[in-house]
Amino acid sequence: MDRWIEETFHPHWRVRLEAARVLHEVKTEHQHLVIFENPTWGTVLMLDGVCQLTTSDEFVYHEMMAHVPLMALERPKRVLIIGGGDGGVLREVLKHPAVLKATLCEIDRTVIDTARQYYPSIPGAAFDDARTEVVIGDGRAYVANTDQRFDAIIVDSSEPIGPSAVLHTREFFADCRRALKKGGVLVTQNGLPFLFPAHLRATTSALGQLFKRVAPYLCTQPCYFGGPFALNFATDDKHLLKLDAKHLAKRQKKRGVAELKYWTPEGHVGAFALPAYVRAVVADALSGEQERGEAPAVADGGEAAAAPPSAVEA
Ligand code: SAM
């Protein structure tokens, strides 16, 4: 009889997935890891009872984490990925020909080793690419101590629990800002705004205190049950959020970044158009800055057309 594996993240409801075959299960130094096959979702990775990815829909999250910041940048040469041991974001980052070096700092080597063994289609050849540098260690410590400077830092962390909790703190974001080149971009995963508005509020508020522009954007990740999934985009370069679909399409063509299954130039711009309940969380998060007179009001409809409507100048 098949085993059913439960996602234990939500306090008052549970999702159970049939495990037709458990491929690997271990308590690592950092977390509980299980990889199994499910007839609907394909190969599934769960860490500490939270679904991280499935081979059927991973393209959504990985494309939106990589291509939104990298298409916004004119020449992204140096990229840092924190977490992301499954290799999906790295795979997408390396599609940009301007990338000369991509560093991936992952705390748990087991995630990388089992990704290569049990779902090799996700990393593909990314870990063997000459431009890839893998660092096994805590991402918080890495950004606090690095003397490298990056065009983009992509924080592909798990939820703010366990080893990943430190990757959702203002101190960590401040160190990321220090490690960015002038006009660089920080992108973080920011959870499910419908279920966890406090997560989006806290991160947006922290980023609003550190960066000139903060703009959450959304994607629909089927295996993250609970509505649209939020990512956050922070930079001091206002222009990065003013690119229209025509400009992004030209860039995509020039770079030869093809065969994407989720990211499109129009979807890039549209992802920043937040539903009212999410926009309210963002406005609330930045209201502190407004009180301190550090941030003007959330951009109104007119200007929003040019800049993503959720973009707020800090
Ligand atoms: N998409 C997933 C999500 O949103 O939940 C995240 C996927 S990825 C597998 C998350 C990775 O972050 C895991 O491999 C985990 O080991 C890594 N991680 C957690 N805490 C970390 C830390 N402090 N430093 C570096 N990597 C960390």
Side-chain angles (χ1 to χ4, degrees):
M1 207 206 29
D2 285 353
R3 181 175 153 196
W4 285 75
I5 297 184
E6 252 187 9
E7 194 179 44
T8 54
F9 188 54
H10 306 287
H12 306 298
W13 55 285
R14 293 282 157 95
V15 170
R16 300 173 76 226
L17 291 98
E18 181 188 352
R21 204 153 65 96
V22 175
L23 301 174
H24 192 78
E25 182 164 16
V26 64
K27 182 82 182 76
T28 77
E29 196 191 329
H30 302 283
Q31 53 208 342
H32 176 266
L33 177 152
V34 61
I35 299 170
F36 59 95
E37 283 173 355
N38 173 276
T40 305
W41 297 97
T43 305
V44 179
L45 166 68
M46 268 204 194
L47 294 174
D48 285 345
V50 184
C51 184
Q52 302 290 309
L53 59 84
T54 80
T55 46
S56 63
D57 66 350
E58 54 84 20
F59 62 89
V60 176
Y61 173 93
H62 291 142
E63 288 185 14
M64 291 304 274
M65 272 223 115
H67 300 306
V68 171
L70 297 197
M71 288 292 184
L73 287 162
E74 196 149 350
R75 219 185 309 288
K77 294 184 199 164
R78 197 70 184 83
V79 179
L80 172 62
I81 302 165
I82 301 280
D86 53 76
V89 170
L90 180 64
R91 178 194 74 216
E92 296 302 319
V93 163
L94 293 170
K95 288 181 178 173
H96 291 259
V99 173
L100 301 177
K101 187 171 177 186
T103 300
L104 183 139
C105 177
E106 163 61 57
I107 199 167
D108 195 337
R109 177 180 292 288
T110 314
V111 175
I112 297 178
D113 295 345
T114 51
R116 300 182 79 156
Q117 186 174 357
Y118 295 109
Y119 46 91
S121 63
I122 293 188
F127 286 118
D128 304 318
D129 191 297
R131 296 170 291 168
T132 297
E133 174 194 35
V134 172
V135 176
I136 300 298
D138 174 20
R140 168 100 180 78
Y142 181 88
V143 285
N145 302 314
T146 184
D147 56 6
Q148 308 270 316
R149 292 294 174 265
F150 302 92
D151 297 291
I153 299 178
I154 301 173
V155 185
D156 179 12
S157 67
S158 353
E159 300 307 313
I161 53 172
S164 193
V166 290
L167 305 181
H168 299 264
T169 60
R170 189 182 184 289
E171 294 70 29
F172 169 69
F173 300 142
D175 284 330
C176 287
R177 188 176 185 288
R178 186 189 61 80
L180 278 174
K181 291 181 190 170
K182 191 168 181 311
V185 180
L186 171 65
V187 162
T188 69
Q189 73 95 300
N190 225 149
L192 298 156
F194 179 75
L195 292 170
F196 305 106
H199 183 189
L200 178 63
R201 188 178 296 109
T203 300
T204 305
S205 170
L207 295 174
Q209 294 162 28
L210 295 163
F211 290 88
K212 290 198 173 111
R213 298 288 283 208
V214 183
Y217 60 103
L218 301 178
C219 64
T220 308
Q221 183 69 46
C223 75
Y224 294 165
F225 310 100
F229 191 77
L231 303 161
N232 225 318
F233 184 114
T235 183
D236 287 342
D237 183 349
K238 302 177 182 175
H239 303 95
L240 302 185
L241 288 161
K242 291 192 182 294
L243 300 171
D244 60 22
K246 208 156 137 254
H247 197 109
L248 290 163
K250 241 195 263 161
R251 233 173 223 182
Q252 181 188 17
K253 192 154 180 271
K254 193 159 164 243
R255 294 179 188 184
V257 177
E259 287 158 28
L260 299 182
K261 294 199 298 184
Y262 191 89
W263 184 94
T264 64
E266 299 75 15
H268 177 128
V269 175
F272 290 93
L274 303 177
Y277 79 93
V278 181
R279 209 175 143 94
V281 173
V282 173
D284 183 35
L286 294 161
S287 59
E289 281 70 39
Q290 285 161 7
E291 266 143 37
R292 281 198 298 278
E294 288 165 0
V298 173
D300 64 25
E303 188 207 345
S310 65
V312 178
E313 287 190 26

